[in-house]
Amino acid sequence: MSTYRRITVGDEGGVSLVRFVDKKIVDSGSIEQLGEELNALVTVEKRNMILLNFDGVDFMSSAALNKLITLNNKVKAAAGRLKICGLRAEIKEVFTITRLDRVFDLRKSEADAIEAFKL
Amino acid sequence: MTSVQDHWSYDKLIPSDLDIGHAAIEELMNALGSAAWEGSDLFRIHMAIEEAVVNAIEHGNKRDANKSVHIVFHVGTDKVTMSIKDQGAGFDHQNVADPTEDERVDQPRGRGVMLMRELMSEVHYNELGNHVTLVKFKSPPAEPE
């Protein structure tokens, strides 16, 4: 298991449960590190069932959003599934404006998302 | 200069350094909080100004230490104006590719200009495209449920 600084990673019924350390994902150095850590989940640890739980995240810039898109593309290339839960309303609105709500599987709660992995 | 309607103004020439840009944004966010801006308005302003400042430093000035960014903020009770001017070559702001089209929606870039336009009340560029002015009017209070 790798050591991460921007995320924590747990396991829930075969799903990698990822939470974010920072309440505001805005610092460019931290975002680069976050991107590397998210990518390592797929390329190093070979995880391909991933749930990103944004509970506690108040703000993220579009640079951070770009890292999620890169992760999603990697998970898809690895024939895996990525889901997102716990978005505060304002961040969810950003997904809607940019139509990324069509790209990502957004779920209200962690339990809802875990259940959806079983389908 | 601070006008009667303004709670706070900021006018500085900063180097092409993201840490200094973020410090300016933090000052703005604190001033907005002091002027009773809150909730989704605060989030939208934060998102848009983040795009404008990072674009100016990274894409405009290309982090060139010899170039600076002119930042002007005016925070009032009901209106905030943010002006960001870099020393880069600008860009064709009237012909930015739509990032929501099917062939681009999963590309990890190109959303900044669209987000600013969607989140702000007004977005104005100069002809060259190296000076953007963002305006946000305060949203009316939410209806009680």
Side-chain angles (χ1 to χ4, degrees):
Chain A
M1 170 94 72
S2 304
T3 304
Y4 298 111
R5 295 178 65 186
R6 305 264 70 91
I7 55 176
T8 62
V9 185
D11 282 292
E12 182 73 41
V15 175
S16 300
L17 178 55
V18 177
R19 291 175 183 271
F20 297 85
V21 170
D22 301 301
K23 282 170 73 80
K24 292 187 178 182
I25 306 175
V26 68
D27 170 72
S28 50
S30 300
I31 290 172
E32 282 310 307
Q33 191 176 27
L34 172 65
E36 288 168 14
E37 293 182 3
L38 290 174
N39 290 342
L41 293 173
V42 184
T43 57
V44 178
E45 292 200 53
K46 306 297 179 193
R47 296 172 184 265
N48 71 351
M49 300 279 271
I50 298 173
L51 172 59
L52 304 179
N53 187 340
F54 278 83
D55 193 25
V57 175
D58 291 337
F59 182 83
M60 62 187 284
S61 68
S62 80
L65 207 55
N66 291 341
K67 301 302 180 191
L68 303 185
I69 296 166
T70 300
L71 173 67
N72 192 47
N73 292 341
K74 284 186 186 298
V75 170
K76 278 201 296 190
R81 293 158 79 192
L82 174 71
K83 297 183 191 298
I84 288 175
C85 69
L87 289 174
R88 65 176 278 190
E90 288 84 358
I91 299 180
K92 192 171 180 200
E93 184 191 18
V94 171
F95 278 75
T96 306
I97 289 170
T98 54
R99 304 189 77 180
L100 286 171
D101 56 345
R102 290 183 309 166
V103 174
F104 292 98
D105 186 0
L106 306 181
R107 301 281 170 166
K108 271 189 182 171
S109 68
E110 190 175 296
D112 180 28
I114 295 283
E115 230 11 73
F117 273 104
K118 297 175 185 167
L119 298 176
Chain B
M1 200 177 112
T2 303
S3 71
V4 175
Q5 290 81 18
D6 285 340
H7 275 270
W8 179 80
S9 289
Y10 175 107
D11 186 338
K12 282 185 187 170
L13 209 54
I14 68 159
S16 300
D17 181 309
L18 285 173
D19 286 342
I20 296 172
H22 281 130
I25 292 171
E26 196 167 330
E27 281 194 57
L28 170 69
M29 299 312 295
N30 288 338
L32 287 162
S34 299
W37 287 72
E38 56 189 15
S40 64
D41 279 348
L42 273 184
F43 181 91
R44 285 166 169 235
I45 293 165
H46 194 175
M47 194 90 199
I49 193 61
E50 177 72 27
E51 295 302 326
V53 170
V54 172
N55 281 350
I57 293 171
E58 288 198 334
H59 303 302
N61 288 352
K62 303 194 184 307
R63 299 202 196 204
D64 183 342
N66 295 313
K67 291 181 176 173
S68 52
V69 178
H70 188 195
I71 298 180
V72 181
F73 299 139
H74 294 293
V75 173
T77 313
D78 297 311
K79 178 184 177 186
V80 56
T81 306
M82 299 157 282
S83 161
I84 311 295
K85 185 176 184 182
D86 63 59
Q87 295 182 310
F91 73 108
D92 185 359
H93 55 91
Q94 288 176 321
N95 288 298
V96 178
D98 182 352
T100 66
E101 287 182 1
D102 287 345
E103 66 269 28
R104 294 191 195 89
V105 73
D106 62 353
Q107 297 299 305
R109 60 184 171 274
R111 290 175 177 79
V113 174
M114 180 215 190
L115 274 172
M116 286 190 285
R117 287 184 169 138
E118 291 288 334
L119 297 172
M120 293 290 94
S121 307
E122 297 172 12
V123 177
H124 306 287
Y125 281 96
N126 66 346
E127 197 173 329
L128 186 60
N130 69 338
H131 182 188
V132 64
T133 303
L134 311 174
V135 179
K136 179 80 178 82
F137 296 102
K138 190 177 276 181
S139 303
E143 294 286 326
E145 290 183 19

